[in-house]
Amino acid sequence: VAAKLVSAFSVAGLFYRVSVFPALSRLHHESREEHRALYQNSFKYLSLVFVPAAAFAGLGAGSIIHTVFGEQFAASVAVLQVMSPAIFLIALRHLLVATLGSVHAQARLVRFQGLGVLVCLGAGMVLIPRWQAVGAAVAFGLSELVIVACAARFASREVGRLAWPQLLQKPLIASAAMGTVVVLLGGAPLAVVFPAAVATCMAAL
C-alpha cells in the first residue's frame, strides 16, 4: 500500500522530467548559461512542491491510509512514514535523469542506478529479516539516496553547483508550518487534513 502511494506521488515527478528534458537538451547546445539557469530553476521549483509533499505523506500517513484503503491497512502507516522522504528523492532522481541526459551522461546514470540496486539488495538482506516491510522501506530509501547523491555530485561538476541551503530553506519552512497543522488535526479525515495542509503550505510560501 505504501509503495503504491509513493508511486502515485512519483508520477508528477515523471511528468516534470518529461516536460523539462527537451528544453534542457536544446539549451545545452544553444546556450550553456541558459542551460545552467533552467537547471537551477528546475530544482528550485521541484523542491517547492516535493519537499512539502514528502512531509505531508509522512505526517499525514494515518489519514491517507485510513481514508484511501481502510482501517485494515493500519500496519502500512509506519511503512509510508519511513518511505515518505523517497517521494522527494524520486522527484530529484527524475530531474537528475533529465539533467544528465541533456549533457549525454547516460552511461553514468546506468552506473548510478546499478549501484542503487546493489545497495537496495544489500540493505534488504540485512534489514528485512528483522524489520520486515519497514526494513524494506528503509532499504528502498537508501538506494534512492545513493543514486541521487551520486547523480547530484556528477551534475554539480558537469553543469553547476546548486545552493542546496537556499533551495531548501523556503520548502522546509512551509513544510514545518504545514506539519504543525497536520499534527494538530490528528486523526481528522483526509478531506479535512489535505485542504488545511495545502492552504497552510501555500500561505507560508
Side-chain angles (χ1 to χ4, degrees):
V1 165
K4 287 180 180 294
L5 287 168
V6 171
S7 297
F9 275 105
S10 71
V11 171
L14 174 61
F15 277 104
Y16 190 58
R17 176 185 112 192
V18 170
S19 67
V20 168
F21 174 71
L24 280 171
S25 184
R26 176 174 53 82
L27 290 175
H28 174 65
H29 297 284
E30 295 180 359
S31 171
R32 295 300 175 89
E33 290 301 318
E34 290 185 31
H35 179 262
R36 189 177 296 109
L38 178 58
Y39 157 74
Q40 292 171 343
N41 285 331
S42 296
F43 279 93
K44 179 177 73 174
Y45 295 130
L46 180 142
S47 299
L48 288 171
V49 173
F50 285 94
V51 170
F56 178 75
L59 295 169
S63 294
I64 296 171
I65 297 285
H66 294 154
T67 302
V68 177
F69 294 98
E71 296 289 338
Q72 66 269 33
F73 288 94
S76 297
V77 172
V79 183
L80 181 58
Q81 288 171 336
V82 172
M83 290 188 75
S84 60
I87 292 170
F88 179 51
L89 291 173
I90 291 170
L92 282 178
R93 175 166 55 82
H94 277 303
L95 190 49
L96 285 163
V97 167
T99 301
L100 298 190
S102 73
V103 299
H104 309 295
Q106 291 88 339
R108 291 277 184 169
L109 284 170
V110 173
R111 294 177 199 169
F112 299 151
Q113 295 276 13
L115 180 59
V117 170
L118 291 176
V119 168
C120 190
L121 288 173
M125 287 189 288
V126 173
L127 299 173
I128 292 173
R130 183 169 182 179
W131 288 292
Q132 287 79 47
V134 172
V138 173
F140 174 74
L142 286 174
S143 70
E144 289 293 333
L145 181 60
V146 166
I147 296 168
V148 167
C150 292
R153 186 165 177 264
F154 185 77
S156 70
R157 294 204 311 264
E158 293 295 309
V159 184
R161 192 176 298 276
L162 292 169
W164 285 107
Q166 295 177 6
L167 284 175
L168 295 177
Q169 184 179 21
K170 291 178 182 178
L172 287 174
I173 291 171
S175 297
M178 178 196 69
T180 301
V181 171
V182 172
V183 171
L184 289 174
L185 287 173
L190 186 61
V192 174
V193 175
F194 182 70
V198 171
T200 305
C201 184
M202 295 298 294
L205 288 175

